[in-house]
Amino acid sequence: MGADVALHYLWWIVALVLIGGEVILPGYFMLWIGIAAAAMGIVLLAAPDLGPIAQAVIFAAFAFVSCFVYWKLVRPRIERIPAGNERLNRRGEQMIGQRYELIEPIVNGRGKARVGDGMWLVSGPDLPVGTKVEVTGVDGTTLQVKAWAS
């Protein structure tokens, strides 16, 4: 009986190692294999007489099913972006369509605009200081602008 008890504990230890590995190297893959290992520990607790080949086959089936459940059911819910939050955490893209004033002229396609209490690099046609510009796009940390016709 002692060896059988140790065997289901071994599956739980494997599960903890895999889930711990997920914490260190996130990617959702080891988490689901770890869940399959934990489920295998529960199966061995209920049926301690399973041989090693049966355990391997059941574990492989659990791992496949758990990864499939993640891929088809969990992942789409995680990756769904609520309407209106498409540009969340992409500050530059949130500025598209906004209008700002140039605090440095655009010369040779480069200048600066006041955005809130700071300034951003802008690119666009040559324009003098004080011109109102509208953001049409973002290239890294540079706002692409055009003159705003009021």
Side-chain angles (χ1 to χ4, degrees):
M1 178 76 179
D4 295 332
V5 172
L7 195 54
H8 76 270
Y9 282 130
L10 177 66
W11 280 105
W12 289 338
I13 291 169
V14 168
L16 288 174
V17 167
L18 287 168
I19 293 170
E22 182 68 36
V23 170
I24 295 169
L25 302 168
Y28 290 110
F29 184 75
M30 289 187 282
L31 171 69
W32 299 96
I33 304 296
I35 290 171
M40 192 63 227
I42 293 170
V43 166
L44 273 181
L45 189 61
D49 295 334
L50 283 175
I53 293 178
Q55 291 178 38
V57 170
I58 293 170
F59 171 68
F62 281 166
F64 178 78
V65 169
S66 66
C67 288
F68 183 81
V69 165
Y70 163 71
W71 192 260
K72 293 296 181 183
L73 300 177
V74 176
R75 186 174 178 215
R77 288 180 181 225
I78 291 172
E79 291 181 350
R80 188 177 318 144
I81 298 173
N85 288 342
E86 296 85 6
R87 295 181 178 161
L88 184 64
N89 294 329
R90 295 189 292 191
R91 184 171 180 210
E93 290 182 22
Q94 292 175 359
M95 295 180 192
I96 294 174
Q98 299 294 318
R99 295 176 189 97
Y100 303 105
E101 185 176 333
L102 291 179
I103 57 172
E104 287 185 15
I106 299 179
V107 179
N108 295 326
R110 294 279 192 214
K112 292 184 180 175
R114 179 165 311 282
V115 177
D117 62 351
M119 60 182 168
W120 278 60
L121 293 173
V122 295
S123 68
D126 290 354
L127 297 168
V129 171
T131 304
K132 293 278 189 181
V133 293
E134 181 177 355
V135 179
T136 59
V138 180
D139 182 20
T141 59
T142 303
L143 303 176
Q144 300 167 343
V145 298
K146 66 178 183 179
W148 179 58
S150 51

